Amino acid sequence: GQQVMQIPQYQHVQEGEDFTTYCNSSTTLSNIQWYKQRPGGHPVFLIQLVKSGEVKKQKRLTFQFGEAKKNSSLHITATQTTDVGTYFCAGIYAGNNRKLIWGLGTSLAVNP
Amino acid sequence: NAGVTQTPKFQVLKTGQSMTLQCAQDMNHEYMSWYRQDPGMGLRLIHYSVGAGITDQGEVPNGYNVSRSTTEDFPLRLLSAAPSQTSVYFCASSRQGKNSPLHFGNGTRLTVT
């Protein structure tokens, strides 16, 4: 079946270090969305990538969509304690209408 | 705008009891959905609706019912609660179209004893 694999499951960094989470699909995605969930909170939409090779930035966050539209990454430069939370990717496959296929998330802990 | 409102925030049920989790949105979104979130299992889709009067099953629908009589409301009913339904439940809505981001409610933490 359609799956989106997300790695790593956990990441523990010192404040100021960089962080990257990766999502991989075995088949081509139509688009991919990224969400952040703070501890005890709900998922909040961060960004959507649609085009092959697309790169988008939000301050210290850089999102990439692979050329083949099968993988994506989220990179955080110089992490801060406010970055703590779980980051989810969610892919949509062509022809799958509205159904999101979620990665299991990467939980980020930041030591001050 | 309140966005997506879920009630209650917390609930404890005994096995076999039934209850309804409420979800309402004020953004005139056509699409609404229910997810459950369990440790290590991510977000799993229970049921969804693409408009009033239309509902469909997600990947884990057993033990849950939904209805969509209005655009605003999408209640989730647990027919006979089981300990396996202990989870955090999120309602989410969006405009129609696969490029629309989901807006989540604050969640309901349900414990079934």
Side-chain angles (χ1 to χ4, degrees):
Chain A
Q2 293 162 336
Q3 279 187 322
V4 172
M5 306 299 293
Q6 189 171 358
I7 56 169
Q9 189 175 2
Y10 302 101
Q11 186 82 56
H12 204 146
V13 300
Q14 286 294 127
E15 191 171 21
E17 291 182 338
D18 291 356
F19 159 78
T20 305
T21 174
Y22 301 90
C23 282
N24 296 289
S25 168
S26 57
T27 54
T28 303
L29 295 166
S30 172
N31 53 359
I32 193 162
Q33 298 176 352
W34 285 91
Y35 293 78
K36 176 184 178 181
Q37 184 177 24
R38 295 183 187 274
H42 59 277
V44 174
F45 174 77
L46 293 176
I47 210 161
Q48 176 165 254
L49 304 172
V50 179
K51 298 177 183 175
S52 168
E54 191 168 16
V55 178
K56 286 188 177 180
K57 293 191 176 184
Q58 288 180 350
K59 297 183 181 177
R60 293 177 296 102
L61 278 60
T62 301
F63 303 84
Q64 291 189 312
F65 204 7
E67 293 289 342
K69 299 182 73 173
K70 290 185 178 181
N71 54 71
S72 181
S73 64
L74 158 58
H75 180 81
I76 303 178
T77 303
T79 54
Q80 299 175 359
T81 54
T82 53
D83 296 324
V84 165
T86 301
Y87 294 85
F88 292 96
C89 63
I92 297 176
Y93 293 89
N96 209 359
N97 198 14
R98 195 55 190 84
K99 187 178 176 185
L100 289 172
I101 308 297
W102 292 83
L104 293 183
T106 296
S107 292
L108 173 64
V110 180
N111 271 354
Chain B
N1 281 348
V4 179
T5 303
Q6 284 185 241
T7 56
K9 290 186 179 179
F10 302 95
Q11 183 72 51
V12 179
L13 291 177
K14 293 190 169 145
T15 298
Q17 287 185 315
S18 62
M19 80 158 294
T20 299
L21 306 185
Q22 301 292 345
C23 176
Q25 53 90 10
D26 62 358
M27 297 173 282
N28 203 29
H29 284 169
E30 300 93 342
Y31 180 88
M32 296 186 75
S33 55
W34 277 101
Y35 287 89
R36 60 177 290 174
Q37 185 174 37
D38 303 290
M41 309 216 34
L43 291 155
R44 292 185 292 170
L45 182 65
I46 305 171
H47 285 286
Y48 65 98
S49 168
V50 297
I54 306 169
T55 64
D56 207 345
Q57 295 181 350
E59 58 183 301
V60 288
N62 292 344
Y64 307 95
N65 272 0
V66 292
S67 59
R68 185 94 180 269
S69 55
T70 67
T71 299
E72 294 77 20
D73 300 298
F74 191 45
L76 178 72
R77 296 183 188 85
L78 279 70
L79 309 173
S80 176
S84 61
Q85 294 179 305
T86 293
S87 186
V88 179
Y89 291 84
F90 289 103
C91 178
S93 72
S94 75
R95 290 182 297 175
Q96 203 63 277
K98 63 183 179 182
N99 289 343
S100 299
L102 287 175
H103 298 255
F104 283 83
N106 289 335
T108 296
R109 187 173 295 274
L110 175 69
T111 302
V112 183
T113 60

